[in-house]
Amino acid sequence: MHSFVRRTLLATTMLASAVGCASAAQAEEAAPAGEEQSSTTSVGTGAHDRGGDIVVTARRRIESSQEVPLAISVVGGEHIDSTGSFNVGRLQQLTPTLQFYSSNPRNTAVNIRGLGVPFGLTNDGIEQGVGIYVDDVYNSRVASATFDFLDVAQVEVLRGPQGTLYGKNTTAGAINITTNQPTFDFEGKAEVSIGNYNFKQAKAAISGPLSDTLAARLAVSATDRRGTIYNVTSNQWIQSQDNLGIRGQLLWRPTDTLDITLAGDFSSQDANCCGSVYVRTGLTQRALNRQFEALADALGYQPVSRNPFDRRTDLDTPLKAENKIGGASLRVKWDFGEGTLTSITAWRFWDWDPSNDRDFTGLPIVALSQNPSQQDQYTQELRYNYSSDAIDFVVGAFGFYQRIDTQGTEQHGAASSRWNIAPSNPLSTDPSVLDGLVAYNSQYLKNTSAALYGQLSWHVTPELTLQPGVRLNYDKKDGYYQRRVFDGAGNEILLDGTTNARKTAQLAIFTPQEISPRFSDWNFSYDFTVSYRIAPDVLAYATYAKSFKSGGINQNGVPTDAQNNPILAAATVKPEDVDHYEAGLKTQFWDRRATFNLSIFRTDIRNYQANVNNGQFGVLRGYLANAGAVRSQGVEADFSIRPSERFNAYVNGAYTDATYRRFVDAPCPPELSGGTTAGAGQSPSAPGTPGGISPANCDVSGQRLPGISEWSFSFGAEANAPFTLLGKEGEVYLGYDGSVRSNFSSNPSASAYTWIDGYSLHNFRAGFRTDAGFDIYCWVRNAFDENYFEQLMVGPGNTGLIAGLPGDPRTWGFTVKSNF
């Protein structure tokens, strides 16, 4: 059914594109009456980057980005389309302070300035630190960042804490996405792209009046691509793309002062995903005969390739990543007097149905790993904006309720006994000990939050503005986690006081557990910004923000003690306490043909929420803990220049110094793990000493946070010239976008085995377009076929295995689009 829908949608969109091409010439002669064509602008380059103001809604009101005393990156829909940045993951190549990591849609991290979501596998029990908003609706799941942008007008990346206006989930920043709205003049657009790896993408949108007071807009998008990694076990290409999205909106405007918009959307992903490749092995402190090379030899196993950029794997668990997300919203905007009252009521859902290979090999060690979940969230926001010559303010209230249910299954296979039981134990040669051992995990989370907030801008003089903001927030989380364990014969394994060697070996893999963690708290956050207009086009500002991220509960199980009892102290984590300082300068010069913005910042976090892993299969998904303190500081600069309509260019750069200031009981990296735990008076062995002595935990104070490059840059340019093609007047153009980032750690505690080398990516496009919106161009991304990793993962059990996710190779293709 899904394939049929996709083929129908693709064919329909191609037809719409053909109609659009035919009507482009007519559109050149007759633009919609009474409506000036809008110009999409961005920090980068695009077809309509002719200068002028970039309009944003970062402070919940419409204003120029150069008027906002805030570090903000703005990418217009035109630039998103032309650079192939069709989701947040690709957007990071244009905004160097944005980091995106994803091993699958659920396990996705979106960070700004190195902060946001703990690096590693997702835990539902905490908030994200980068809020994602689409048309004022909060999306609580980072998985929403993996979907294709759908009819997007503009993306604003707000850097630094945004707790006053955007809430507790924005200690690192927010991504504010605005879609194109229904219009009372008929308009449409269509786009079709094809490329290597059987890439096919189609987009279409149509908008217009249904009556004098009612307008509608409908947008659809479909993306399909063959995978980039070949699995020799299943004879399939994995890491494919198979995305489908639809969004509809109805706008009722009974008077000039009242807009009521009803919106609904649905998106699905059904990719052959998500896998990994063998990267390397490194010595741990486990006994040498229990490390990867010895275990693989004992089982007669060799990875299909030891060169990760052969892009070949042999994962033996069927892979699945079915992902559905959608919802509905009702937005009411009523203008009266000098203010606007806005109400946003929304419901969102998210259904996740995965299957993963968690041993990262072609051996039947972990035969099954899947944790499907279902989420519903409900939000209500009510706010009032007021503007006058002397003051602007916004006050509001926000309510949030979320329910997540998860049903997990983790099962071991025939090779597990030999892999996980010491060779000196006779049970290691008995496959039946662990073959079929299965854990069924049931969990739910109820998350309730409510807030009152306000922000005031007092224009003391035409040049000087004082901006205080406050937010009062209440949070409550109720969770439940149960793990039941059964052996291969279907007998339940209980913690009933009985024991034998076989049961001990099985409990070392999965331990029954049942916990009901709870958390509730009140928090008060505030900020204060002073801005001063030094000259008509020069704005200086300074900000202090006191923010927080709500405390959390561990929803994936907690470690156990020597008696296999859950360590309940690990069931909850404290709220993060954030102090943020920032100063910036926003300038335009050369008759506003050039823009230069500069910001310096420092963020101090106490009780930083870190995702850790102690090597137990039962908590392989990771659990949460508080690091003592974290600091992120740095400098960011954005420069763009548009000397004429024939050329524009930009350079954006960031230096980020983000480190653990105090984390004395962190999980150790693999080279310091797997040995006998150091006792009183014992000193740990040197890193990578087989059979050595391992510290119980490690002091990583001073180490760089994972996922963060100290240096990152994005840059690009576009040049065009008048040209006539097939009787149509327009312009030919050549565009380039590049990005560079330095090395970064891919493990919560830095390991010599998991540093990812810095890399650079270079994208080109060339084509012909008309003012009416007809555009035909070819493109190449990662033009120099750079080999790089998006992420490295440490295999379970301290065997020294390192697996990885290679970034996309060179891709190229051809796009035709038209507005009509």
Side-chain angles (χ1 to χ4, degrees):
M1 180 65 181
H2 191 188
S3 297
F4 172 76
V5 172
R6 178 168 302 285
R7 288 194 296 268
T8 303
L9 172 63
L10 191 59
T12 303
T13 311
M14 288 181 175
L15 177 61
S17 180
V19 173
C21 293
S23 62
Q26 295 178 358
E28 285 181 277
E29 297 176 2
E35 184 162 315
E36 184 180 350
Q37 297 285 21
S38 62
S39 294
T40 302
T41 59
S42 73
V43 295
T45 60
H48 299 291
D49 284 346
R50 311 302 195 200
D53 286 340
I54 300 173
V55 176
V56 298
T57 58
R59 293 193 290 183
R60 302 300 197 186
R61 58 180 182 263
I62 298 173
E63 55 193 331
S64 165
S65 66
Q66 292 298 109
E67 301 286 336
V68 181
L70 167 70
I72 179 171
S73 302
V74 188
V75 184
E78 185 75 34
H79 197 197
I80 288 170
D81 290 341
S82 64
T83 57
S85 305
F86 54 80
N87 60 28
V88 173
R90 295 197 173 201
L91 196 65
Q92 69 173 336
Q93 295 183 28
L94 303 176
T95 54
T97 56
L98 180 70
Q99 297 94 30
F100 177 92
Y101 310 98
S102 180
S103 57
N104 61 43
R106 184 179 191 272
N107 296 306
T108 296
V110 178
N111 289 346
I112 294 174
R113 295 172 171 172
L115 305 174
V117 183
F119 191 91
L121 297 177
T122 297
N123 195 310
D124 291 327
I126 64 163
E127 313 291 336
Q128 61 196 55
V130 176
I132 299 175
Y133 291 79
V134 181
D135 290 341
D136 286 338
V137 175
Y138 172 53
N139 286 249
S140 63
R141 298 303 312 202
V142 184
S144 62
T146 66
F147 282 102
D148 292 357
F149 290 140
L150 186 58
D151 198 24
V152 165
Q154 180 169 285
V155 177
E156 304 164 18
V157 180
L158 316 181
R159 301 170 342 229
Q162 307 296 319
T164 296
L165 295 182
Y166 289 86
K168 61 188 172 65
N169 51 286
T170 56
T171 52
I175 299 174
N176 188 27
I177 300 171
T178 304
T179 69
N180 292 306
Q181 298 299 296
T183 60
F184 282 92
D185 290 294
F186 177 79
E187 65 178 35
K189 61 180 181 179
E191 174 183 323
V192 174
S193 299
I194 58 173
N196 62 337
Y197 295 96
N198 295 327
F199 175 76
K200 299 178 287 292
Q201 186 176 70
K203 302 178 183 179
I206 190 168
S207 179
L210 300 179
S211 71
D212 291 342
T213 59
L214 189 66
R217 188 177 189 94
L218 178 67
V220 292
S221 172
T223 303
D224 190 271
R225 193 192 73 177
R226 194 202 77 186
T228 57
I229 298 173
Y230 188 70
N231 188 340
V232 301
T233 301
S234 63
N235 294 319
Q236 292 179 323
W237 291 93
I238 64 172
Q239 310 303 90
S240 64
Q241 295 176 1
D242 188 6
N243 304 342
L244 174 66
I246 183 168
R247 181 179 182 86
Q249 300 179 82
L250 281 175
L251 168 62
W252 182 41
R253 183 175 291 165
T255 71
D256 292 339
T257 60
L258 180 62
D259 279 3
I260 300 176
T261 305
L262 177 65
D265 67 280
F266 172 79
S267 297
S268 72
Q269 294 174 325
D270 189 17
N272 189 358
C273 184
C274 298
S276 60
V277 299
Y278 170 95
V279 176
R280 65 172 70 96
T281 59
L283 288 175
T284 71
Q285 293 185 336
R286 209 177 190 193
L288 192 60
N289 64 357
R290 300 193 67 192
Q291 299 205 30
F292 180 86
E293 299 298 347
L295 291 169
D297 286 344
L299 289 165
Y301 172 75
Q302 286 294 325
V304 64
S305 174
R306 290 182 178 263
N307 178 1
F309 296 110
D310 283 347
R311 301 179 186 274
R312 301 175 72 208
T313 191
D314 59 357
L315 303 179
D316 60 326
T317 299
L319 301 179
K320 182 170 62 171
E322 294 183 4
N323 194 21
K324 295 179 174 61
I325 197 166
S329 66
L330 180 67
R331 182 175 57 194
V332 180
K333 295 184 68 174
W334 179 29
D335 296 328
F336 62 93
E338 295 180 315
T340 300
L341 182 66
T342 304
S343 171
I344 305 105
T345 307
W347 161 69
R348 305 292 302 163
F349 75 88
W350 180 62
D351 292 337
W352 169 237
D353 187 9
S355 178
N356 307 297
D357 194 320
R358 286 296 176 198
D359 59 49
F360 306 135
T361 73
L363 289 168
I365 303 168
V366 180
L368 186 65
S369 177
Q370 54 189 36
N371 285 270
S373 64
Q374 306 82 40
Q375 176 205 294
D376 284 280
Q377 73 161 61
Y378 303 86
T379 56
Q380 173 63 55
E381 184 169 11
L382 187 67
R383 66 172 181 261
Y384 177 71
N385 292 71
Y386 174 86
S387 295
S388 69
D389 293 337
I391 62 170
D392 304 315
F393 70 81
V394 55
V395 294
F398 177 78
F400 170 84
Y401 176 78
Q402 175 189 47
R403 167 88 188 216
I404 303 176
D405 292 278
T406 303
Q407 313 82 37
T409 305
E410 297 176 74
Q411 182 172 326
H412 277 233
S416 183
S417 294
R418 182 64 185 87
W419 194 267
N420 291 297
I421 301 175
S424 58
N425 187 333
L427 293 179
S428 67
T429 59
D430 183 355
S432 69
V433 176
L434 299 183
D435 189 13
L437 182 72
V438 61
Y440 296 109
N441 307 316
S442 299
Q443 57 179 287
Y444 70 75
L445 170 70
K446 298 176 183 178
N447 185 1
T448 304
S449 180
L452 298 172
Y453 64 88
Q455 187 182 81
L456 169 71
S457 296
W458 176 29
H459 309 299
V460 181
T461 71
E463 296 79 24
L464 176 65
T465 299
L466 305 181
Q467 180 183 284
V470 295
R471 191 177 186 104
L472 179 65
N473 201 94
Y474 173 74
D475 282 293
K476 182 181 178 183
K477 293 183 174 72
D478 293 301
Y480 175 76
Y481 175 84
Q482 181 193 62
R483 182 194 300 130
R484 300 180 66 189
V485 182
F486 297 83
D487 64 19
N491 302 307
E492 186 167 9
I493 300 174
L494 302 173
L495 296 177
D496 54 8
T498 64
T499 186
N500 55 56
R502 189 181 186 92
K503 183 175 180 180
T504 298
Q506 293 167 337
L507 288 175
I509 302 298
F510 295 130
T511 304
Q513 187 174 121
E514 186 171 5
I515 59 174
S516 298
R518 288 179 172 84
F519 174 87
S520 63
D521 196 17
W522 287 88
N523 284 96
F524 179 69
S525 57
Y526 54 90
D527 56 44
F528 186 75
T529 299
V530 178
S531 59
Y532 187 79
R533 186 158 298 284
I534 301 171
D537 291 321
V538 181
L539 177 71
Y541 66 91
T543 296
Y544 168 73
K546 182 71 171 180
S547 189
F548 79 100
K549 187 164 72 169
S550 171
I553 58 178
N554 272 303
Q555 281 296 104
N556 298 329
V558 296
T560 55
D561 60 20
Q563 288 74 44
N564 289 318
N565 297 312
I567 302 174
L568 295 180
T572 60
V573 288
K574 301 175 184 177
E576 289 185 355
D577 190 343
V578 181
D579 289 282
H580 176 77
Y581 312 85
E582 184 159 347
L585 194 67
K586 294 193 166 186
T587 68
Q588 288 184 301
F589 52 95
W590 194 16
D591 197 22
R592 295 192 174 183
R593 296 171 185 161
T595 299
F596 176 73
N597 296 334
L598 179 71
S599 60
I600 58 174
F601 66 90
R602 174 171 174 146
T603 304
D604 293 302
I605 302 178
R606 290 182 295 278
N607 294 321
Y608 177 78
Q609 294 167 356
N611 205 18
V612 301
N613 190 321
N614 68 351
Q616 290 179 243
F617 275 105
V619 290
L620 177 61
R621 297 188 58 76
Y623 66 98
L624 298 171
N626 288 110
V630 158
R631 182 204 66 204
S632 177
Q633 60 186 11
V635 181
E636 301 164 344
D638 303 313
F639 175 71
S640 62
I641 185 170
R642 297 173 177 86
S644 73
E645 291 189 356
R646 300 302 172 200
F647 180 78
N648 53 67
Y650 70 96
V651 179
N652 306 322
Y655 169 76
T656 307
D657 171 25
T659 58
Y660 296 110
R661 304 313 299 159
R662 189 175 74 256
F663 196 5
V664 298
D665 56 352
C668 292
E671 57 265 42
L672 285 172
S673 302
T676 302
T677 302
Q682 290 184 307
S683 298
S685 304
T689 302
I693 298 174
S694 298
N697 43 53
C698 287
D699 184 352
V700 299
S701 304
Q703 290 186 7
R704 198 192 315 171
L705 290 177
I708 299 173
S709 298
E710 285 189 323
W711 294 96
S712 55
F713 298 91
S714 61
F715 37 84
E718 184 178 287
N720 65 75
F723 193 77
T724 300
L725 179 66
L726 300 177
K728 293 183 180 180
E729 293 185 358
E731 58 192 27
V732 292
Y733 61 93
L734 175 65
Y736 163 77
D737 294 278
S739 62
V740 175
R741 65 181 302 184
S742 60
N743 70 344
F744 61 94
S745 169
S746 190
N747 197 57
S749 297
S751 167
Y753 308 144
T754 58
W755 280 97
I756 293 180
D757 293 335
Y759 58 86
S760 63
L761 300 175
H762 306 272
N763 309 321
F764 296 88
R765 62 187 181 277
F768 169 80
R769 61 180 171 236
T770 68
D771 289 338
F774 175 74
D775 195 353
I776 181 170
Y777 62 97
C778 56
W779 44 265
V780 57
R781 295 164 191 145
N782 189 9
F784 304 120
D785 206 18
E786 177 101 351
N787 286 328
Y788 67 100
F789 290 107
E790 293 184 345
Q791 198 170 340
L792 296 177
M793 292 91 70
V794 177
N798 299 313
T799 67
L801 172 64
I802 306 297
L805 301 176
D808 276 356
R810 179 193 297 120
T811 58
W812 50 265
F814 177 81
T815 297
V816 178
K817 62 181 180 179
S818 179
N819 297 341
F820 53 92

